[in-house]
Amino acid sequence: MLTLAIFCKVVDNYGDIGICWRLARQLQREHGVAVTLWVDDLASFRRICPEVDVEADEQTVQGVLVRHWRGQDGSFAPGDVADIVIEFFACDIPPAYIEAMAGCEPRPVWLNLEGLTAEEWVEGCHKLPSMHPRLKLTKHFFFPGFTPQTGGLLREGELERERQDFQCDPAAARSFLRGLGLPESEIDALKVSLFCYPHAPVAALFDAWRAGLAPMTCLVPEGVARAAVEAFLGQPGSAGAVATRGALTVRVLPFVPQPDYDRLLWACDLNFVRGEDSWVRAQWAGKPFVWDIYPQDDNLHHKKLRAFLGRYAVGIDSLSTFSLHWNGAVGEGDWPALWSALRHDAARIEARSAEWQGEMLKNGDLASNLLTFAASLR
Ligand SMILES: Cc1cn([C@H]2C[C@H](O)[C@@H](COP(=O)(O)OP(=O)(O)O[C@H]3O[C@@H](C)[C@H](O)[C@@H](O)[C@H]3O)O2)c(=O)[nH]c1=O
């Protein structure tokens, strides 16, 4: 059986482990690979996968061997090394593991799985080799992306069918939303999910929404946009907290397991997403979305945001303009006007979303592409 190890360092929030866990599960479930996931932060892992035991050094979760990565120490022999070794976001795998890799015959395939960006340069860097300065080992870069010259996007084989089943069955969405505590009136209103970074202009958008004519509900996971949410609610923003002011109801949801987060995206009319993994899930959800990109020094992220909008929002100015304001890439926003323009284009944006999915499907999925590349190196 093919063995594969993923090393994941949680730098911030949930995207690092979110991506590694999704990849690990898919490789195990759909490709029969024996996966070991090394992760340094089990508490973050547990938030997206409640069955994780934060005390366990070693545990099997949904068929994946999860090992608590406690730092750069540890002793490893060649027999401990997997056939394919993935280092996520250049996280520096333990030196002793690298020494053990150099003692393997044949050498394992060593990949550095990079972050997702729509910029063109990734096509030139995808699959590039990098020699170890001292040992006879080569690492290759593997870039996710939006074109056939990249590794594609993470997408489970059953995802599209599951989404279609859910979205074609109104009772399924209703019962899911009821399970999250929504009364019928909120289920029937316009529903927006909100997942963003603390600096997003949430308070200004709430003001625009509460002055609107039609009732709408904003569903926000516990802890997200805490300051603006608590100011609106006038009470602590713990799960279950809810308040209505003007046309807007804000409801705080518990942080849900990863598969339920997909259902939330499928059930809402519009999704605000952030980082990398929720951003990709929103692209597969077939609903309009607004992306809050992970901030980087020197506003490097604004360049990346523009690169994505240039591919995705072709000809849909309302979406580009709203997104640029949401990310602080342009000056002060007139939020009532930005919101009304975005709503006006909702049908067009939804049609673009379907077209985009078709384009992305042609690139294959990241897990399969990664295994094909690894096989070509072995
Ligand atoms: C809101 C919510 C999210 N999730 C999951 C979905 C995703 O897998 C994960 C969130 O990850 P992201 O969307 O990527 O956003 P994020 O901001 O949480 O994560 C990251 O962004 C990366 C770009 C950075 O490199 C990382 O360091 C990391 O900060 O949490 C749930 O499982 N349940 C929930 O209720």
Side-chain angles (χ1 to χ4, degrees):
M1 189 191 262
L2 189 67
T3 58
L4 182 145
I6 302 177
F7 285 86
C8 172
K9 215 172 248 177
V10 175
V11 177
D12 203 6
N13 304 326
Y14 312 104
D16 307 299
I17 185 58
I19 292 164
C20 291
W21 173 231
R22 194 180 292 295
L23 174 64
R25 237 178 335 171
Q26 191 187 351
L27 288 168
Q28 190 278 332
R29 200 177 284 174
E30 296 177 20
H31 298 275
V33 179
V35 181
T36 302
L37 172 58
W38 291 87
V39 54
D40 66 344
D41 177 354
L42 292 171
S44 296
F45 191 1
R46 194 182 146 83
R47 277 207 96 189
I48 60 165
C49 181
E51 63 198 90
V52 168
D53 175 355
V54 292
E55 303 296 334
D57 265 344
E58 195 175 316
Q59 59 194 304
T60 299
V61 185
Q62 297 177 29
V64 172
L65 179 63
V66 174
R67 304 210 41 189
H68 193 177
W69 182 15
R70 291 186 183 276
Q72 293 300 80
D73 305 338
S75 68
F76 296 96
D80 301 322
V81 172
D83 301 324
I84 303 173
V85 179
I86 298 179
E87 132 183 338
F88 183 70
F89 276 16
C91 68
D92 285 338
I93 60 182
Y97 197 91
I98 298 177
E99 294 286 342
M101 288 200 287
C104 291
E105 207 48 68
R107 301 280 192 278
V109 171
W110 182 10
L111 303 177
N112 179 5
L113 178 57
E114 284 287 344
L116 174 62
T117 170
E119 293 160 297
E120 273 174 26
W121 59 263
V122 292
E123 293 185 347
C125 296
H126 179 51
K127 299 185 179 173
L128 275 190
S130 157
M131 315 294 172
H132 192 279
R134 185 172 50 83
L135 301 167
K136 261 190 88 188
L137 277 174
T138 304
K139 169 162 75 176
H140 288 83
F141 292 93
F142 197 89
F143 280 85
F146 301 104
T147 68
Q149 287 74 38
T150 67
L153 301 175
L154 272 175
R155 175 179 45 82
E156 298 83 355
E158 288 295 292
L159 181 69
E160 185 53 16
R161 191 193 51 75
E162 287 172 7
R163 174 180 81 95
Q164 299 273 0
D165 288 353
F166 185 89
Q167 289 181 336
C168 293
D169 176 6
R174 292 195 91 82
S175 115
F176 173 72
L177 292 168
R178 263 188 226 118
L180 290 175
L182 274 74
E184 302 302 308
S185 58
E186 288 176 33
I187 294 177
D188 291 328
L190 181 82
K191 291 172 295 302
V192 173
S193 77
L194 178 65
F195 189 39
C196 61
Y197 294 114
H199 52 264
V202 174
L205 188 58
F206 279 178
D207 284 344
W209 284 346
R210 65 195 277 183
L213 296 177
M216 63 175 287
T217 300
C218 175
L219 301 170
V220 51
E222 193 172 12
V224 172
R226 189 182 289 283
V229 167
E230 293 191 343
F232 182 91
L233 295 173
Q235 56 173 301
S238 29
V242 59
T244 301
R245 303 190 196 286
L248 174 64
T249 298
V250 171
R251 174 177 290 278
V252 180
L253 299 182
F255 219 82
V256 293
Q258 227 179 20
D260 277 345
Y261 183 64
D262 275 331
R263 293 186 187 100
L264 180 66
L265 298 176
W266 300 341
C268 286
D269 302 290
L270 170 71
N271 297 300
F272 285 78
V273 289
R274 75 183 198 191
E276 181 169 324
D277 194 50
S278 59
W279 173 41
V280 173
R281 303 316 277 183
Q283 293 172 51
W284 296 130
K287 295 294 181 79
F289 69 89
V290 175
W291 178 36
D292 190 5
I293 184 170
Y294 190 76
Q296 287 181 294
D297 291 341
D298 303 324
N299 285 335
L300 190 64
H301 58 296
H302 289 159
K303 200 162 167 253
K304 295 183 171 180
L305 172 67
R306 286 195 166 88
F308 177 67
L309 293 171
R311 289 186 193 275
Y312 187 84
V314 255
I316 313 178
D317 283 352
S318 57
L319 180 57
S320 298
T321 313
F322 192 103
S323 306
L324 291 169
H325 278 99
W326 186 243
N327 284 276
V330 285
E332 284 282 293
D334 174 350
W335 289 100
L338 289 165
W339 173 243
S340 120
L342 191 74
R343 285 303 297 152
H344 179 266
D345 284 345
R348 247 176 97 205
I349 299 171
E350 202 156 328
R352 173 62 186 142
S353 164
E355 186 182 70
W356 176 257
Q357 282 197 18
E359 289 171 28
M360 293 305 107
L361 283 173
K362 289 190 203 135
N363 301 333
D365 73 275
L366 186 138
S368 308
N369 292 341
L370 185 144
L371 288 180
T372 305
F373 179 55
S376 74
L377 298 172
R378 280 168 64 79

